[in-house]
Amino acid sequence: MTAPHRSAILLLALTLTTANACRRAETVGRTFPGTIELDESDAAPLVGGRILTVRVNEGDSVRVGDTLAVLTQSQIPANLEDRRARLAAAESRLADLRRGSRPAEIARAEAELAAFEADADRTARDLARATQLARDTVIPRQELDRATSGAEAAARRRDAARATLEVLREGSRADQVRTAESEVASARAQLSGARADVGELAVLAAVDGVILGRHAEPGEVVSAGTPLLTIGVVSRRWVRVYLPAALIATLPAGTPATIRLPAAANDQQWTGRLGAINPRAEFTPRAALTEEERADLLFATKVELNDSTGLLRPGLPVTVQF
């Protein structure tokens, strides 16, 4: 690169640096009006119902977990009792399967098997005699058929009773116990859901703050998600200030700021820093092409505030200087 080219580049860089410095110098000492704001949080029920009571009013201070309002639903108590009964039935069935067969049940099955075995032996002997008599043509063929049917039926009853006794002695199958355990788990989950519905009838404060608005009264029927109250988060106060586009172009994020309260008698000041900037201009001309029109563009910005005094209340007008 030749010496003239280097000189031209250096001159251009110096010109740009000087221009930026001039633009920054134009903002030194310039103040912008702003308003103290704070973050807001709506308190809403997770389930619908009729409002029984609203326990706070506008201006009241609340802390996390405070009960703000209580709702009611006519079907929730009955639903809760139904879930409890279902769980009790499922647990009873599971306990019964785990215990297995009772001694009395096994004794009864053994007695029934002995009776069916005796009946099967008797019908088998009757069939043997009937077969011999039919062979000697002493009795007709129909008598033999009846004896055969009786013997077969008695044998089937004996076999069924023996199988029943074996099942009772083995106890409940593993798959039956697993199914019963799943039913108990499902019933417990349904009961937990019903209890959660009862808990969700109370609207609790999710943040520390001050009640800014009360939007519902006792007796009203509201749906899930309907804001009942608005809480202002006093620990997160900030300043809303509108800045021209030319100034925003020279201020990086986090630029320190000085906030003053015009109403203060001792010229007290607070510190802050430039935060979020709205990407959409508050005033946009139809065709922002000229320098004059670009100068009219204003952007809403958020100046994060450091205040341990508590004097900067929401709504107060302040001035901001970068």
Side-chain angles (χ1 to χ4, degrees):
M1 183 180 295
T2 63
H5 286 160
R6 285 197 297 271
S7 299
I9 292 174
L10 291 174
L11 180 59
L12 177 59
L14 179 61
T15 302
L16 293 176
T17 303
T18 304
N20 287 334
C22 292
R23 284 196 295 269
R24 290 181 179 272
E26 291 176 357
T27 65
V28 173
R30 184 177 176 184
T31 60
F32 300 90
T35 306
I36 302 296
E37 305 279 354
L38 47 71
D39 291 345
E40 297 181 358
S41 174
D42 287 331
L46 297 180
V47 296
R50 182 171 59 84
I51 300 175
L52 283 180
T53 179
V54 180
R55 299 184 178 179
V56 292
N57 296 306
E58 293 182 0
D60 290 349
S61 296
V62 296
R63 299 187 65 83
V64 174
D66 287 351
T67 300
L68 307 179
V70 178
L71 284 71
T72 183
Q73 282 186 0
S74 58
Q75 71 272 21
I76 281 186
N79 186 41
L80 184 60
E81 290 302 320
D82 178 68
R83 294 293 184 268
R84 286 173 177 162
R86 290 175 182 268
L87 176 59
E91 289 177 338
S92 177
R93 171 174 167 76
L94 176 60
D96 187 61
L97 289 175
R98 284 175 172 171
R99 282 194 302 267
S101 302
R102 299 180 180 88
E105 293 176 337
I106 296 177
R108 177 181 176 182
E110 290 174 343
E112 290 178 349
L113 176 59
F116 288 134
E117 285 178 339
D119 187 55
D121 291 341
R122 179 185 59 79
T123 54
R125 290 193 297 270
D126 291 345
L127 176 59
R129 286 195 297 271
T131 301
Q132 183 60 42
L133 292 175
R135 187 180 298 114
D136 297 338
T137 65
V138 176
I139 60 173
R141 182 68 182 180
Q142 292 83 353
E143 291 292 336
L144 177 61
D145 292 340
R146 281 195 294 270
T148 302
S149 299
E152 292 175 351
R156 286 193 294 270
R157 288 193 295 270
R158 177 200 59 201
D159 294 341
R162 184 179 292 118
T164 300
L165 179 59
E166 291 176 356
V167 169
L168 290 175
R169 286 174 175 171
E170 291 176 359
S172 302
R173 297 197 306 269
D175 57 341
Q176 291 178 324
V177 175
R178 287 194 297 269
T179 300
E181 290 174 343
S182 299
E183 292 174 352
V184 169
S186 176
R188 284 176 178 166
Q190 292 177 2
L191 179 58
S192 297
R195 286 173 175 166
D197 288 342
V198 174
E200 288 167 358
L201 290 175
V203 181
L204 307 180
V207 295
D208 296 339
V210 176
I211 302 299
L212 299 180
R214 174 169 163 162
H215 315 305
E217 297 297 330
E220 296 183 22
V221 177
V222 296
S223 58
T226 302
L228 305 184
L229 300 141
T230 299
I231 304 174
V233 187
V234 294
S235 62
R236 294 200 293 267
R237 281 171 290 179
W238 47 278
V239 181
R240 185 190 302 277
V241 60
Y242 294 90
L243 300 179
L247 176 59
I248 291 177
T250 65
L251 295 178
T255 298
T258 301
I259 297 93
R260 290 183 175 85
L261 184 62
N266 56 357
D267 194 27
Q268 188 174 3
Q269 62 185 32
W270 292 261
T271 60
R273 68 186 188 90
L274 181 63
I277 300 175
N278 194 329
R280 302 176 68 90
E282 297 297 323
F283 170 64
T284 306
R286 180 172 296 179
L289 299 176
T290 67
E291 292 295 333
E292 292 78 7
E293 289 172 330
R294 292 193 182 99
D296 290 335
L297 294 176
L298 294 177
F299 291 83
T301 60
K302 182 177 182 179
V303 177
E304 299 173 0
L305 183 62
N306 300 321
D307 175 31
S308 59
T309 65
L311 296 177
L312 298 180
R313 299 175 181 272
L316 287 178
V318 295
T319 59
V320 181
Q321 182 179 2
F322 294 97

